[in-house]
């Protein structure tokens, strides 16, 4: 098996960075970036810039997609329901689907839509970037972690390894992909949520108060993960802390960037998921419950402030 044609939906920081590398390796004619409506018009007229360089993507409407060997989803969870329908024409009998979404649910959602035989498990880690409009700047490219649900070294895993190698994309195929995914979920739930609430960059996570909260959140994630059949450890929490400490100290998590911009965040998919699983398994999650509500309140207030500023600026220009 060889990956010759790829379709990508979502060209935010993750999709644009890895998509650009695949675009360079395979050529524009072999990479379709899925978009529709006003987003498609914006991409075609304005393009996407990565570290100041225009990325020459081929933007394709969902109804005009060709069947791809590999489909990569790199949207936010908030767009998953729409995205999973928009990729339909790219999914053929032998298409592999790789979701780079945060959280622990997207693979099961995609499996229900297209069949588990199409879906691998995956996530991106270690990226440090800032996204403003159609400009994405990164200081750390990070890597993609992926594998089969049963952790087998299948022909399509080997084919994707080959593609990533040719594209210069760093990757890891772990011994246990579900455990690795939950470890990343633990990182996201702690650092994304706390950074968005406290307006903290990566470098701020040396503060004792923040580190204590990271460990408290992680303890609750460890408890619900165990109830879900996934073994996480406190040592993994400490590894996550080291990972964040290795990034550009001025860098911002995606949830922090969303909060600053007044966009809807993935709060429901981080602490919200922990709270729901806690209720499901009758496990107390008091720290995540409070942080979930605080983040929700901050998101609402920030969104209102941004809307009012836009109105004020508009009136000033008249």
């Amino acid at each position: 098996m060889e990956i010759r044609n790829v379709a990508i939906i979502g060209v935010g920081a993750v999709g644009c960075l890895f998509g650009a590398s695949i675009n360079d390796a395979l050529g524009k004619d072999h990479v379709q970036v899925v978009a529709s409506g006003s987003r498609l018009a914006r991409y075609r007229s304005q393009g996407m810039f990565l570290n100041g360089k225009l990325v020459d993507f081929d933007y394709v409407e969902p109804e005009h997609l060709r069947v791809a060997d590999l489909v990569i989803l790199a949207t936010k969870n908030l767009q998953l329901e729409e995205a999973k329908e928009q990729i339909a024409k790219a999914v053929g009998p032998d298409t592999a689907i790789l979701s780079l979404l945060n959280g622990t649910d997207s693979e099961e959602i995609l499996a229900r839509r297209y069949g588990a035989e199409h879906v691998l498990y995956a996530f991106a880690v270690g990226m440090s970037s800032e996204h403003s409009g159609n400009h994405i700047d990164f200081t750390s490219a990070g890597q993609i972690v992926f594998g089969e649900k049963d952790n087998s070294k299948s022909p399509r895993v080997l084919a994707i390894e080959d593609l990533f190698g040719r594209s210069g994309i760093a990757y890891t195929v772990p011994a246990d992909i579900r455990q690795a995914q939950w470890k990343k979920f633990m990182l996201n739930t702690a650092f994304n949520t706390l950074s968005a609430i406290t307006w903290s960059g990566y470098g701020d996570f040396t503060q004792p108060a923040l580190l204590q909260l990271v460990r408290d959140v992680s303890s609750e994630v460890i408890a619900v993960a165990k109830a879900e059949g996934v073994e996480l450890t406190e040592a993994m929490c400490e590894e996550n802390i080291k990972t964040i400490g290795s990034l550009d100290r001025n860098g911002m998590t995606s949830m922090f960037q969303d909060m600053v911009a007044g966009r809807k965040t993935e709060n429901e998919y981080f602490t919200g998921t922990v709270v729901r699983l806690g209720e499901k398994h009758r496990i107390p999650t008091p720290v995540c419950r409070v942080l979930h509500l605080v983040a929700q309140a901050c998101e609402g207030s920030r969104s209102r402030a941004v809307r009012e500023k836009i109105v004020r600026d508009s009136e000033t220009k008249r």
Side-chain angles (χ1 to χ4, degrees):
M1 179 181 180
E2 182 180 356
I3 307 295
R4 297 186 179 92
N5 296 287
V6 176
I8 301 169
I9 186 162
V11 281
V14 172
C16 189
L17 175 57
F18 295 125
S21 296
I22 295 171
N23 206 53
D24 288 342
L26 296 183
K28 178 179 178 179
D29 292 342
H30 296 274
V31 180
Q32 307 169 87
V33 173
V34 189
S36 63
S38 60
R39 181 178 285 110
L40 175 64
R42 186 171 69 252
Y43 288 162
R44 285 178 171 171
S45 64
Q46 300 178 11
M48 292 297 299
F49 290 82
L50 191 62
N51 280 2
K53 181 182 178 181
L54 178 67
V55 183
D56 189 23
F57 282 132
D58 180 22
Y59 299 105
V60 181
E61 295 171 304
E63 57 268 30
H64 296 148
L65 286 171
R66 306 177 303 277
V67 171
D69 301 311
L70 174 66
V71 175
I72 298 175
L73 287 93
T75 66
K76 294 289 184 69
N77 279 285
L78 300 161
Q79 288 84 47
L80 177 57
E81 286 301 313
E82 178 184 17
K84 72 180 176 65
E85 300 305 325
Q86 290 188 332
I87 63 172
K89 286 189 176 294
V91 180
D94 301 313
T95 301
I97 301 175
L98 204 66
S99 169
L100 301 180
L101 276 66
N102 289 320
T104 62
D105 298 328
S106 65
E107 287 83 4
E108 294 301 321
I109 292 170
L110 290 165
R112 287 196 294 271
R113 174 63 176 83
Y114 293 105
E117 68 275 11
H118 287 282
V119 181
L120 294 96
Y121 282 66
F123 59 90
V125 68
M127 176 184 289
S128 179
S129 64
E130 292 190 14
H131 185 181
S132 178
N134 63 333
H135 287 260
I136 295 166
D137 297 298
F138 71 93
T139 54
S140 173
Q143 64 172 314
I144 294 177
V145 182
F146 75 99
E148 298 282 4
K149 186 177 182 179
D150 65 2
N151 299 308
S152 62
K153 204 67 179 271
S154 66
R156 64 183 180 181
V157 166
L158 296 175
I160 295 170
E161 283 186 314
D162 176 68
L163 172 66
F164 288 168
R166 285 185 285 140
S167 303
I169 295 172
Y171 68 87
T172 297
V173 179
D176 187 335
I177 184 62
R178 287 288 283 155
Q179 183 186 60
Q181 185 183 51
W182 270 84
K183 179 184 176 185
K184 170 67 185 307
F185 172 68
M186 179 164 62
L187 181 150
N188 276 333
T189 301
F191 289 95
N192 268 278
T193 305
L194 290 169
S195 67
I197 291 172
T198 63
W199 290 53
S200 296
Y202 294 131
D204 293 309
F205 282 93
T206 57
Q207 297 181 54
L210 281 174
L211 289 175
Q212 183 60 58
L213 284 167
V214 166
R215 294 182 175 108
D216 289 346
V217 170
S218 297
S219 292
E220 295 183 358
V221 175
I222 290 170
V224 298
K226 184 175 182 179
E228 289 286 299
V230 179
E231 290 294 329
L232 300 179
T233 65
E234 292 181 2
M236 292 176 182
C237 168
E238 298 306 314
E239 290 168 6
N240 283 343
I241 291 172
K242 289 182 180 179
T243 295
I244 294 299
S246 70
L247 300 176
D248 177 6
R249 63 170 289 103
N250 295 315
M252 302 162 63
T253 67
S254 60
M255 188 167 161
F256 184 7
Q257 293 181 56
D258 287 340
M259 190 76 79
V260 169
R263 297 188 293 261
K264 190 168 181 60
T265 74
E266 291 188 298
N267 180 44
E268 289 299 322
Y269 301 93
F270 296 149
T271 50
T273 294
V274 178
V275 171
R276 288 191 294 275
L277 290 176
E279 292 172 347
K280 172 184 173 182
H281 296 291
R282 297 184 179 180
I283 296 171
T285 57
V287 178
C288 284
R289 183 176 294 276
V290 169
L291 293 180
H292 174 244
L293 291 172
V294 172
Q296 189 175 57
C298 288
E299 180 183 317
S301 297
R302 178 62 184 170
S303 179
R304 174 195 55 75
V306 169
R307 288 196 306 271
E308 290 181 357
K309 182 179 185 301
I310 290 172
V311 172
R312 287 197 304 270
D313 288 349
S314 175
E315 290 175 345
T316 300
K317 292 177 181 179
R318 289 177 183 174

